[in-house]
Amino acid sequence: MKTARTTTAVHGAALLLTLTALGFTLWHGLDEPANALAFGVLIAFGELARWGAQPGEREPAPLATAGALAYALLGQNAGEATTHGVLQTVAVAVAAGLVGTVPHLARGRDPDLDHLARRVLTVAFTAACFQPLYNAGAVTAHLGQGPAHALFLLLLLLLTALCDAVLAALLHRARKGHPYGPLLRDELRALPGIGSAVCATGAVMALAVAVAGLWALPVFAVPLLLTQVSFRRYAAVRTTSRQTIASLARATEIAGCTPPGHAHRVAALSRAVGRELGLSGPELTVLESAALMHDIGQLSLVDPVAGGATAPLPAEEQRRIALLGAAVVRQTGVPEAVARIVERQADPYAEQPLPARIVRAVNAYDDLAAGSAGGGLEALERLRLGTARDYHPDVVESLARVLARGGVTPAPPG
């Protein structure tokens, strides 16, 4: 209930602000229509450039966001002062974004309401911090038009990025139920990536239009567009790699070494526990890959393990399977960090890195839950009894919290 109220509050604030901005602009008309049209076209094109965007991307339309931020920070056009203000900035950003979203809706793609709400609120925040001060002459009087002005814009965009990270973490918590602290840390760690490129492009666009006019917009939009294309290619390679790892993980199921869905259940639950314990995005990706491939060493066994459950095996046999699995993983071309986790999963927890501790505990939970009459509760109790040597107490308690929230739904195989 509380998380639903959070989502409703954020979406409601964005909707109220949108309706106010559109109503104000329709009533009073557009100031400097040429500027509004130029930035509106850029934002709409940025939305159209989302073709092929993957679900869950942090910034699916970077060009549109950069254009909206640039319009929020626009104080001059070729030396002439602008007067469009905060509400018109929001109205143009929303209207242009909706125009660019229409083709996606026609193809049956639902809009990302969380992302739209974040953009409305962050653009409004930027415009509210800049437009009143600039229109009152305070920015020019104290900072002029030199480096101090550029630094002021970058500072505003940094504050905007921080606000967006706070909103993104709030909405993610509302949707998934993960702890807020690790989610916020993950968002802040991601800021130096595409977020910094978006903010820098927005500031450069605003400064360039102030000097050279609206013709600067397409020139300075090209680098970010090329960056977006490169990011798409990188994301495609990363997706192919994940699919390859998922297919390799199914090999143990196809061979009858492990129960159907075991690897994907362990991977999904390990990722949730890793997020609970504060692992970053790249660390979660490595953890998920290792969890998917944690049983691949069973393919090298002459005598298969009965039922595929490795948790009840003697420590020496678990260690041998882990070493065999790491040797197989190293031949697949995945990162060495994945092989190290697979290799260390059978060590005493005092000697393990955190990802290996997570894989060991979650794998044992899934094995024990499937093989006990008491199901998950009995399996969790057995893990707690094993915290003296086999399972780290913090990992077991984090697993318990994830399960108490309803666990996770694993991704479909492949």
Side-chain angles (χ1 to χ4, degrees), residues 34-48:
N35 293 349
L37 178 62
F39 280 92
V41 169
L42 178 64
I43 295 168
F45 178 76
E47 284 292 337
L48 288 174

Side-chain angles (χ1 to χ4, degrees), residues 139-366:
V139 174
T140 304
H142 291 88
L143 302 178
Q145 296 293 335
H149 179 73
L151 290 175
F152 175 64
L153 297 188
L154 290 176
L155 177 61
L156 286 183
L157 289 175
L158 175 61
L159 293 175
T160 300
L162 292 175
C163 290
D164 185 60
V166 170
L167 287 173
L170 278 173
L171 291 170
H172 196 164
R173 172 175 168 73
R175 298 292 186 190
K176 304 295 184 181
H178 299 311
Y180 180 74
L183 289 174
L184 181 59
R185 287 196 298 270
D186 207 18
E187 292 293 335
L188 294 177
R189 286 170 180 152
L191 288 182
I194 190 68
S196 61
V198 170
C199 290
T201 302
V204 169
M205 280 182 177
L207 293 172
V209 171
V211 176
L214 296 175
W215 291 106
L217 284 179
V219 175
F220 287 93
V222 170
L224 185 58
L225 190 60
L226 294 177
T227 301
Q228 184 177 354
V229 172
S230 299
F231 179 78
R232 289 280 181 269
R233 292 177 178 175
Y234 167 74
V237 172
R238 188 175 57 183
T239 299
T240 301
S241 176
R242 284 200 301 264
Q243 291 172 344
T244 301
I245 292 172
S247 298
L248 288 171
R250 292 192 64 197
T252 57
E253 300 175 12
I254 295 172
C257 298
T258 57
H262 169 72
H264 286 83
R265 289 194 300 272
V266 172
L269 199 51
S270 293
R271 187 178 182 91
V273 173
R275 186 176 290 280
E276 181 87 12
L277 291 170
L279 295 183
S280 66
E283 290 171 331
L284 290 173
T285 299
V286 172
L287 171 63
E288 185 176 25
S289 299
L292 281 169
M293 305 181 76
H294 75 280
D295 269 334
I296 203 167
Q298 295 196 43
L299 295 175
S300 302
L301 297 178
V302 176
D303 298 320
V305 177
T310 57
L313 295 177
E316 295 78 10
E317 185 64 12
Q318 292 186 34
R319 176 66 175 162
R320 186 170 76 92
I321 293 174
L323 291 173
L324 290 171
V328 173
V329 171
R330 287 190 171 96
Q331 298 179 33
T332 63
V334 302
E336 172 63 21
V338 176
R340 285 198 297 270
I341 295 172
V342 174
E343 186 176 50
R344 303 288 301 279
Q345 63 176 310
D347 294 350
Y349 73 70
E351 304 171 11
Q352 289 176 312
L354 178 58
R357 293 173 178 174
I358 294 172
V359 172
R360 179 184 179 112
V362 174
N363 173 61
Y365 170 79
D366 195 75

